[in-house]
Amino acid sequence: MNMNMNRLSNTKNQFQGDTKKVLCICSAGILRSPTLAHLLFKKFGYNTRAVGSTKEYALIPVDEVLLFWADEVIYIENSNKLEVELQFGSDCHENSFVLDIPDIYGYMDKELQNILLNKYKEIVLSENNEPIGVIVKEKIIDE
């Protein structure tokens, strides 16, 4: 049985629904990208995955199947984007964005949550002309 074909065919599994699929990438896929994935699921209902760009120590390393699966790729830092492009080519995903958030926060840190949502709103949603909420004291209020 070819495991790669099964994974590839699962990227279009009908039971995932029609929601946007967002791949969140930081260095190890342990702190920042899982926090963003959680927030995007809770706030927008997106189908999210969190992975790491550094294959030597990423808990779940990014791969070509996950890049194919994603409608949108969010890199936490530019170095994550460069690592992925070195592995898979500079044109590995056409709908990608970099948030530029340093690796100084713990998982679900309140400050990290605020920064992630504000940067996502500023960089991604405004570029895609999607509805934007306002974040007030770590709570999200829709406009």
Side-chain angles (χ1 to χ4, degrees), residues 79-112:
S79 61
N80 306 130
K81 183 178 185 197
L82 294 174
E83 283 181 307
V84 171
E85 288 177 347
L86 275 172
Q87 292 177 60
F88 304 106
S90 61
D91 60 347
C92 62
H93 205 282
E94 63 184 39
N95 193 26
S96 65
F97 303 89
V98 178
L99 300 185
D100 277 327
I101 298 170
D103 191 6
I104 59 172
Y105 302 97
Y107 174 69
M108 295 303 287
D109 178 283
K110 292 291 185 194
E111 184 179 1
L112 175 61

Side-chain angles (χ1 to χ4, degrees):
M1 179 187 291
N2 185 338
M3 294 304 281
N4 201 33
M5 274 304 287
N6 286 336
R7 288 186 66 221
L8 194 56
S9 64
N10 274 335
T11 63
K12 300 298 180 191
N13 183 307
Q14 65 179 342
F15 298 107
Q16 291 187 73
D18 294 330
T19 61
K20 183 190 290 189
K21 295 176 287 209
V22 181
L23 185 62
C24 306
I25 304 175
C26 67
S27 299
I30 297 172
L31 303 173
R32 295 169 295 162
S33 61
T35 300
L36 178 61
H38 176 82
L39 294 172
L40 294 178
F41 169 73
K42 286 295 202 184
K43 168 68 177 152
F44 304 105
Y46 295 162
N47 185 349
T48 60
R49 300 291 180 273
V51 298
S53 61
T54 308
K55 60 184 173 183
E56 292 80 22
Y57 62 86
L59 185 60
I60 301 170
V62 64
D63 64 25
E64 64 278 349
V65 174
L66 289 168
L67 289 166
F68 179 79
W69 167 84
D71 297 320
E72 180 176 276
V73 175
I74 307 298
Y75 298 100
I76 303 299
E77 289 186 272
N78 195 53
S79 61
N80 306 130
K81 183 178 185 197
L82 294 174
E83 283 181 307
V84 171
E85 288 177 347
L86 275 172
Q87 292 177 60
F88 304 106
S90 61
D91 60 347
C92 62
H93 205 282
E94 63 184 39
N95 193 26
S96 65
F97 303 89
V98 178
L99 300 185
D100 277 327
I101 298 170
D103 191 6
I104 59 172
Y105 302 97
Y107 174 69
M108 295 303 287
D109 178 283
K110 292 291 185 194
E111 184 179 1
L112 175 61
Q113 290 182 51
N114 255 346
I115 293 168
L116 286 168
L117 285 171
N118 281 318
K119 289 264 191 166
Y120 186 81
K121 176 180 76 169
E122 171 191 330
I123 295 169
V124 181
L125 294 184
S126 63
E127 169 123 351
N128 291 335
N129 294 319
E130 294 186 33
I132 299 173
V134 176
I135 301 166
V136 180
K137 293 184 183 175
E138 292 141 19
K139 293 184 181 177
I140 302 167
I141 302 169
D142 289 328
E143 291 185 316

